[in-house]
Amino acid sequence: MIQTEILCQSPIFRGITSDGLQELFSKIHYQVKSYQKNELITIGGEICDRLLIIQQGSVKAEMTDYSGKTIKIEDMMAPWPLATAFLFGKENRFPVTVSATSDVEMVSIPKPEFVKMLQLNALILNNYLNTISTRAQFLSQKLKFLSFKTIKQKIAHYLLEKAGDRLQTVEIQQSQGQLAEMFGVTRPSLARTLGEMCQEGLIETDRRYIKILDKVRMNQLLLG
Amino acid sequence: MIQTEILCQSPIFRGITSDGLQELFSKIHYQVKSYQKNELITIGGEICDRLLIIQQGSVKAEMTDYSGKTIKIEDMMAPWPLATAFLFGKENRFPVTVSATSDVEMVSIPKPEFVKMLQLNALILNNYLNTISTRAQFLSQKLKFLSFKTIKQKIAHYLLEKAGDRLQTVEIQQSQGQLAEMFGVTRPSLARTLGEMCQEGLIETDRRYIKILDKVRMNQLLLG
DNA sequence: TTAAAACTGTAACGAATGTTACAAACACAA
DNA sequence: TTGTGTTTGTAACATTCGTTACAGTTTTAA
């Protein structure tokens, strides 16, 4: 049985009332499937030709490496949608194996029916476009960040981004360790590099505050 | 004046006839704007609230760094759409500055009108969803690849991916130099690493053919 | 066939970063 | 205040990779 009070909390159905959703679902074909704890829901590599939304319970996503071992990627719970980025595009296969971590109910909407849904309701269309666009933008940002090779460049980019056009002093909300993890480097390496940048007169550090002394040279770091 | 014979070649309008497009455009509001060579079309950071499609001519996209210098990113020509990934989602700003490299005609469709278009025609909806999904998938793949730190891991991932479940011998279509560029490393480094992997008994190389000798150990490289 | 260009293998060296370890500074609660 | 746990600064050493250079091989084009 479909539970629209839960589903309308899903990012895809945001802004739609439970009743509105009820009416919308009456116009399309869909299935509600139950899975017991530990049961497989999708297998990595399987064709992804339907939108799956968790209606009840929680699941985990795992990747299988070439030797057969599995690594946990993510935990998800109701009312989250699965694999929204793989329903369309060239690679229509689930990238992960999903299994139930509790008793689970999934709403399964075949792709053509979901397309119909998108055409019926402009809000859902906007929500879905926003979901995958935001994901593409996030990945794009992450990729740009990784394109900076040295730690100095990563720090410079991070600080200039945070400082914007005017500010000179930047406050770091995280600890040095968390910042290092975000940068994908080790903490001692980050500390060493910050120390070097101080010596070079690029910045001044005071606990969690970093003052940019020379924006021009900071920029030059990002070009070479 | 809109030229549907050209626009129907655009990835967004693929599969639609020129006449069909003509009728579709008669139902929405849009503009056709002309730009002279070297004229600015969009400025980086500007709000992106309309879909722009090149109808005639060619443009270049440039990024501005924090010091004001510009770096060329991409060249595009008719009938390509601009910034499809930034029309929706959280970050609705053009990431790049676009200027005309020849006399140019752009078709400008306001976002609400484009949403209307998506609802009117399932083919355009599918095309657009495919465009941004494919982009997200491409970025995701690229990011996964960059997550491998050492050259050995990158080679292992590349070979295992190419070999699939069964094959043992992989043929490289590109030259070593091109492969190195794809990996984001220098050619001598790639050659050295391939040599090391041979010595370790992981692979055998013969010109452009690489034979995988030990899949199990190759996998272990990707875990640590 | 032959010359030029592109490709490949290899080596020595240096720069950037990871690894490990330890001590000082700080935050917070008993 | 004191003690405990967290955060930070720093150092020595190892590893990975880039840089540069050169010689041998293969491919291409004349």
Side-chain angles (χ1 to χ4, degrees):
Chain A
M1 182 60 68
I2 196 165
Q3 298 181 354
T4 49
E5 328 81 63
I6 294 172
L7 291 177
C8 67
Q9 304 293 323
S10 179
I12 292 182
F13 299 129
R14 190 167 295 152
I16 300 187
T17 61
S18 177
D19 290 348
L21 211 51
Q22 193 80 50
E23 194 196 326
L24 208 57
F25 268 99
S26 72
K27 292 178 182 164
I28 64 160
H29 297 289
Y30 63 92
Q31 288 185 299
V32 179
K33 293 183 191 170
S34 294
Y35 299 87
Q36 292 183 347
K37 188 172 176 177
N38 295 325
E39 204 175 340
L40 275 181
I41 297 171
T42 71
I43 298 173
E46 189 183 9
I47 293 287
C48 174
D49 56 359
R50 58 200 187 279
L51 180 68
L52 294 176
I53 304 169
I54 311 170
Q55 179 172 254
Q56 196 67 248
S58 58
V59 306
K60 67 177 173 195
E62 291 174 320
M63 282 201 79
T64 307
D65 68 15
Y66 308 95
S67 66
K69 273 186 194 167
T70 56
I71 308 160
K72 188 159 109 180
I73 302 288
E74 216 178 345
D75 282 309
M76 284 171 290
M77 49 183 295
W80 220 250
L82 298 190
T84 47
F86 295 90
L87 188 55
F88 294 91
K90 283 181 184 161
E91 190 53 63
N92 291 119
R93 295 170 184 282
F94 284 101
V96 291
T97 294
V98 178
S99 53
T101 51
S102 71
D103 285 4
V104 163
E105 276 180 26
M106 303 286 298
V107 177
S108 171
I109 309 173
K111 184 170 164 178
E113 295 298 309
F114 183 59
V115 171
K116 207 189 287 178
M117 217 166 178
L118 292 176
Q119 290 193 287
L120 283 171
N121 188 300
L123 207 49
I124 296 180
L125 176 58
N126 250 295
N127 286 341
Y128 189 70
L129 288 169
N130 281 333
T131 301
I132 51 183
S133 293
T134 298
R135 179 162 175 78
Q137 288 160 14
F138 168 78
L139 292 171
S140 187
Q141 268 305 104
K142 200 125 183 169
L143 212 54
K144 183 185 175 186
F145 192 76
L146 282 177
S147 77
F148 296 118
K149 296 257 167 72
T150 66
I151 298 182
K152 229 172 243 181
Q153 286 181 322
K154 290 179 182 177
I155 295 174
H157 177 256
Y158 175 80
L159 290 179
L160 289 169
E161 192 82 355
K162 268 220 153 183
D165 284 341
R166 299 179 195 174
L167 284 175
Q168 288 203 324
T169 302
V170 173
E171 185 185 357
I172 316 281
Q173 275 98 359
Q174 308 136 306
S175 78
Q176 216 180 65
Q178 291 171 310
L179 201 63
E181 192 177 5
M182 209 181 83
F183 285 10
V185 302
T186 60
R187 193 200 53 81
S189 295
L190 179 62
R192 171 175 45 200
T193 308
L194 281 172
E196 282 169 14
M197 292 173 82
C198 282
Q199 283 191 340
E200 291 167 17
L202 284 167
I203 56 173
E204 261 176 26
T205 61
D206 177 22
R207 304 190 190 185
R208 294 205 166 177
Y209 293 88
I210 300 182
K211 187 174 177 184
I212 304 175
L213 297 177
D214 194 338
K215 276 202 178 182
V216 176
R217 266 200 293 156
M218 290 272 272
N219 262 308
Q220 288 171 349
L221 283 178
L222 299 180
L223 302 179
Chain B
M1 183 59 69
I2 197 166
Q3 298 182 355
T4 49
E5 328 79 64
I6 294 173
L7 290 177
C8 67
Q9 304 292 325
S10 179
I12 291 182
F13 300 128
R14 190 167 294 152
I16 300 186
T17 62
S18 177
D19 291 346
L21 211 52
Q22 193 80 51
E23 195 197 326
L24 207 57
F25 268 98
S26 71
K27 293 178 182 165
I28 64 160
H29 296 289
Y30 64 91
Q31 288 185 298
V32 180
K33 293 182 189 171
S34 294
Y35 299 87
Q36 292 184 346
K37 187 171 177 178
N38 295 325
E39 204 175 340
L40 276 180
I41 297 170
T42 71
I43 298 173
E46 190 184 9
I47 292 288
C48 175
D49 56 359
R50 57 202 187 276
L51 181 68
L52 294 176
I53 305 169
I54 309 170
Q55 179 172 254
Q56 196 68 248
S58 57
V59 306
K60 68 177 172 194
E62 291 173 321
M63 282 200 80
T64 308
D65 67 15
Y66 308 95
S67 66
K69 273 185 193 166
T70 56
I71 309 159
K72 188 159 109 181
I73 302 288
E74 216 178 346
D75 281 309
M76 284 171 290
M77 50 185 293
W80 221 250
L82 297 190
T84 48
F86 295 89
L87 189 54
F88 295 91
K90 284 182 183 160
E91 191 52 65
N92 290 119
R93 294 169 184 282
F94 283 101
V96 291
T97 294
V98 178
S99 52
T101 52
S102 72
D103 284 3
V104 163
E105 275 180 26
M106 304 287 298
V107 176
S108 171
I109 309 173
K111 183 170 165 178
E113 294 298 307
F114 183 58
V115 170
K116 209 189 286 179
M117 217 166 177
L118 293 176
Q119 289 193 289
L120 283 171
N121 189 299
L123 207 49
I124 296 180
L125 176 57
N126 251 294
N127 285 342
Y128 188 69
L129 288 169
N130 281 333
T131 302
I132 53 182
S133 294
T134 298
R135 179 162 174 79
Q137 289 159 15
F138 168 78
L139 291 171
S140 187
Q141 269 305 104
K142 199 125 184 169
L143 211 53
K144 183 185 175 186
F145 192 76
L146 281 177
S147 76
F148 297 119
K149 296 258 168 74
T150 66
I151 298 182
K152 229 173 243 183
Q153 286 181 323
K154 290 179 182 178
I155 295 174
H157 177 256
Y158 175 80
L159 291 178
L160 289 169
E161 192 82 354
K162 268 219 154 184
D165 285 340
R166 298 179 195 173
L167 285 174
Q168 289 204 321
T169 301
V170 173
E171 184 185 359
I172 316 282
Q173 275 98 359
Q174 309 137 305
S175 77
Q176 217 180 61
Q178 291 171 310
L179 201 63
E181 192 178 4
M182 210 182 81
F183 285 10
V185 302
T186 60
R187 192 199 56 79
S189 295
L190 180 63
R192 170 176 46 199
T193 308
L194 281 172
E196 282 169 14
M197 290 174 82
C198 282
Q199 283 192 339
E200 291 167 17
L202 283 167
I203 57 173
E204 261 177 26
T205 61
D206 177 21
R207 303 188 192 186
R208 293 205 166 177
Y209 293 88
I210 299 182
K211 187 174 177 184
I212 303 175
L213 296 177
D214 194 337
K215 276 202 180 183
V216 177
R217 265 199 294 156
M218 290 272 272
N219 262 307
Q220 289 171 348
L221 282 178
L222 299 180
L223 304 179

